[in-house]
Amino acid sequence: MFGNYLIGLREGLEASLVVCILVAYLVKTGNRRRLRPVWAGVALAVALSLAFGALLQFGSSTLTFQAKEALGGSLSVLSVALVTWMVFWMRRTARHLRSELQGKLDAALAVGTGALVVTSFFAVGREGLETSLFIWTAVQATDDGVRPLVGALLGLATSVVLGWLFYKGALKIDLAKFFRWTGAMLVVVAAGVLAYGIHDLQEADLLPGLRSLAFDITTTIPPDSWYGTLLKGVFNFQPDPTVLQAVVWAVYVAPVMAFFLAPQRPKRSAPATVGNQPAAR
């Protein structure tokens, strides 16, 4: 449940910040009358995300067991790839998100109402689709359709409240640090989803090694115990993973976490120039 709360919180906060920046900029520049197209784009993005989640859930329910496992495993791998890209992208752009969005909004204002709808739709829709896909794969991994969904909804609700507080100026935090540490936690969550996806692909007979276990500690950590349920809900921990699952988990976590937590190199600024000649030192 915590893992899904973290997904909902982080993804929802990104979308909330995007909406806050767009709305605040329009109000500040005297374009309050252009807010309606922005909210229309946001509503379309939310509707698309919900429709995508419903399609994944109800569409997969009509498949055979093997086809469902193949679909679930493939989408798990895809969602982990998207989340990995997302955490690195936000780590790189968190400090410059406001200026980047304002530049796009200026261009949209110059074009017209339709461009405002498209700008807000794509800005929020990307986060919404990623959230729907990752939450669906996480729900499949826990075999519990209630608690993971509740966790994700609580995370989204928290992100909306935080976004509103940001807009009102009542809350100020270092967003770069926030996204850095929540990103690190998401890397661990994503590793569990990836390992479960590998298991799905093994059950679909698309990957070998379903009967080759790396270890089996189900007697020490029973899956139905409170601590087993907690570990599975937070980290998608499995007490009896296959060798391939364990290898993929380690191969993913080690390099991704190392690169993600490595200090970022500051961008070198170009030397000041006078005419076509470098400025004198």
Side-chain angles (χ1 to χ4, degrees), residues 12 23 50 53 66 105 110 144 153 218 228 234 244 246:
V23 171
L50 292 174
Q66 190 171 9
L105 197 54
D144 183 350
L153 291 175
T218 51
V234 176
L244 185 58

Side-chain angles (χ1 to χ4, degrees), residues 94-160:
R95 292 184 176 88
H96 314 291
L97 182 63
R98 182 182 297 272
S99 59
E100 180 180 321
L101 285 172
Q102 288 176 351
K104 292 181 179 179
L105 197 54
D106 283 334
L109 283 168
V111 174
T113 300
L116 287 173
V117 175
V118 171
T119 298
S120 58
F121 173 79
F122 280 109
V124 177
R126 184 192 64 191
E127 309 297 341
L129 291 176
E130 287 179 357
T131 303
S132 294
L133 178 58
F134 200 70
I135 289 175
W136 183 82
T137 54
V139 167
Q140 302 306 305
T142 57
D143 295 324
D144 183 350
V146 178
R147 283 177 293 183
L149 188 58
V150 170
L153 291 175
L154 288 175
L156 290 171
T158 304
S159 71
V160 171

Side-chain angles (χ1 to χ4, degrees), residues 2-8 10-11 52-53 56 75-84 86-87 126-142 148 152 185-194 234 236 252:
F2 175 77
N4 291 278
Y5 176 83
L6 181 63
I7 295 166
R10 184 189 167 93
E11 295 280 353
F52 180 60
L56 289 174
L75 290 180
S76 293
V77 174
L78 175 61
S79 67
V80 169
L82 289 174
V83 167
T84 305
M86 176 269 296
V87 296
R126 184 192 64 191
E127 309 297 341
L129 291 176
E130 287 179 357
T131 303
S132 294
L133 178 58
F134 200 70
I135 289 175
W136 183 82
T137 54
V139 167
Q140 302 306 305
T142 57
M185 289 187 284
L186 264 185
V187 168
V188 178
V189 173
V193 173
L194 179 60
V234 176
N236 287 305
Y252 171 83

